[in-house]
Amino acid sequence: MSWEVHIEWLGATHLVGRLHAAERGPVVSFEYAVEWLNRPGAFSVDPTALPLQPGAQHSGRAGLRAGSLGANPHRTGCPQKGAR
């Protein structure tokens, strides 16, 4: 199973990447979309578990699990309102 991951940012919706999950078990991977990686100002959706880099990042990495994306808004790489 796969899902596209989008973000609402700067007044537009952007494709950030794709989350892939095994049919059975907790194995997941995430891969940033090339267009996101090439976008000026692109940021990691989770700087700890999902560094901003090309290629699939697998659930063997610390912290990457099916709920990683958006599960904890305080850990995401999303710019916070008022952040510089």
Side-chain angles (χ1 to χ4, degrees):
M1 296 175 14
S2 295
W3 299 271
E4 287 188 344
V5 177
H6 294 82
I7 187 170
E8 292 287 330
W9 184 49
L10 299 177
T13 301
H14 304 276
L15 173 64
V16 174
R18 289 169 182 80
L19 182 67
H20 306 281
E23 289 291 325
R24 297 169 198 244
V27 178
V28 296
S29 66
F30 179 79
E31 186 168 1
Y32 286 103
V34 172
E35 55 265 47
W36 182 253
L37 291 171
N38 292 332
R39 180 175 180 73
F43 51 87
S44 171
V45 294
D46 185 330
T48 303
L50 298 170
L52 194 60
Q53 64 188 28
Q57 300 181 54
H58 302 281
S59 57
R61 295 186 64 112
L64 181 57
R65 59 192 179 282
S68 287
L69 298 176
N72 184 345
H74 301 290
R75 275 191 66 225
T76 65
C78 300
Q80 300 297 314
K81 185 176 181 179
R84 296 183 190 265

